[in-house]
Each structure stands twice: as structure tokens, then as C-alpha cells.
Amino acid sequence: MNTGISHNATTVPSQPTEDMDGVLHSFLGWLEQQYNEKAQNAYTSKSLLGLGLKTQFASEWETFLSNPIDSMYATRKAIDTSLVNVINMMVATYLKSRIDLIAKAVWAETKNNTLHYCIFLKEDSLENRIIVNDFFDFYDEYALSETYPVYFQFISEKHFPIIKYKQEIV
């Protein structure tokens, strides 16, 4: 019987593949649970709608169906906010790992809400700037780096008091 799965007795699965299989298995279990919950909500909402009652689930879908563009835009804004927060955590984690070089770093407040970071180095040298900029060696590998660019600006200590910022990193 051909199951569509290839088994090669001479191939030993690598540890990263086994780890990914575990992650995938957990994710599929979570997805199944989400599907079952939504299906139950749909069934309940449909039954109650027949009696003239609307559940929150039905109301949310009614809102979507009456204005799908605005609903999709609101979803996009929520996703954008989540992604920016995740990227900020990545940047903050990286900058904190470079505490040996960085005296201070903040996520600057900008008009266009970019991921703009102001960094004051303990010793401002080309070598230290290159080391801090190593962040981009891995960040630029992500497709999201094109949509959510990150900017590092190296500044002197005297300019830090006038910077408006969202978050102090280091």
C-alpha cells in the first residue's frame, strides 16, 4: 500500500527534523481544537438564530459580512501591531545581548511609527557599530524585513535627553 510517505531505512532523522515534527504535531492539535470550537460556535449560533437570538459569534460574522473591507483592514492593523511588537522584542533581545558595547538604546517615537532605534555606544568605533549592525545579518533573511524595516541610528550621549521614545531598551 502506498501511503504517499517515503521511508528510507538508511536515513536517520536529524534532531532538528524531530523537533520540527513535534512543533508541527502540537500546532496541528491546536488547529484542530480551534476548528472544533469554531464549529461548535457556528452550530450554536445557527440554532439560536433560528429562535431569533444572536450570539457574539454570529454578531461578529454579521459585522464582517456587512463590511468585509473594514473588517479585513481592522484585522490587518491588529496583525501589524502584533508583528511590530514581536520584531521589537527581537531587536530588544539582541541589543540587550550587546550590553558590553551599548550604554543606552531606545525605541524612538517617529511620525510614521517605524522601528527606529537610537543607540549610544560605550565606545563609538567603527568596529562596535559593525558588531551591533550584525543584527541585520539575520533579520534581513526574514521576508518581513521588507515590510517592517528596522533602523539603527548611533547618536552621542548629549543628544539622548531630547529623544522622545516609546520604550527604553538598554
Side-chain angles (χ1 to χ4, degrees):
M1 176 173 89
N2 185 356
T3 62
I5 300 173
S6 173
H7 295 282
N8 185 344
T10 61
T11 303
V12 177
S14 66
Q15 187 65 29
T17 301
E18 290 172 359
D19 290 347
M20 183 51 74
D21 286 350
V23 169
L24 182 59
H25 185 268
S26 295
F27 175 73
L28 291 173
W30 174 83
L31 198 57
E32 178 184 32
Q33 178 186 358
Q34 294 300 310
Y35 170 79
N36 289 334
E37 287 175 15
K38 299 297 184 210
Q40 183 60 45
N41 282 340
Y43 176 79
T44 302
S45 296
K46 182 180 172 189
S47 298
L48 291 174
L49 192 58
L51 300 172
L53 302 171
K54 281 187 195 167
T55 63
Q56 181 179 349
F57 184 79
S59 294
E60 290 170 0
W61 277 103
E62 181 179 45
T63 300
F64 174 78
L65 293 172
S66 67
N67 193 345
I69 300 297
D70 280 352
S71 296
M72 287 187 282
Y73 181 68
T75 301
R76 159 116 195 247
K77 283 177 56 177
I79 291 169
D80 283 343
T81 299
S82 294
L83 281 171
V84 165
N85 288 333
V86 167
I87 294 166
N88 180 56
M89 287 190 316
M90 286 173 55
V91 173
T93 301
Y94 179 79
L95 293 177
K96 287 175 184 177
S97 76
R98 291 305 188 181
I99 195 74
D100 57 320
L101 304 175
I102 299 173
K104 188 167 179 108
V106 296
W107 180 9
E109 198 171 292
T110 60
K111 290 181 182 180
N112 57 358
N113 237 359
T114 58
L115 292 157
H116 186 109
Y117 298 85
C118 294
I119 301 167
F120 166 51
L121 296 171
K122 291 178 180 177
E123 180 187 333
D124 194 351
S125 67
L126 180 59
E127 182 181 340
N128 287 346
R129 287 181 180 212
I130 290 170
I131 292 169
V132 172
N133 280 325
D134 282 347
F135 168 81
F136 298 105
D137 289 346
F138 75 88
Y139 183 68
D140 288 343
E141 294 294 319
Y142 291 102
L144 59 83
S145 69
E146 292 177 25
T147 306
Y148 304 95
V150 171
Y151 304 99
F152 287 173
Q153 181 178 5
F154 297 96
I155 62 171
S156 66
E157 184 177 21
K158 70 180 181 180
H159 291 106
F160 251 96
I162 61 173
I163 294 174
K164 293 181 183 177
Y165 59 89
K166 296 178 185 183
Q167 180 184 1
E168 185 172 333
I169 306 294
V170 176

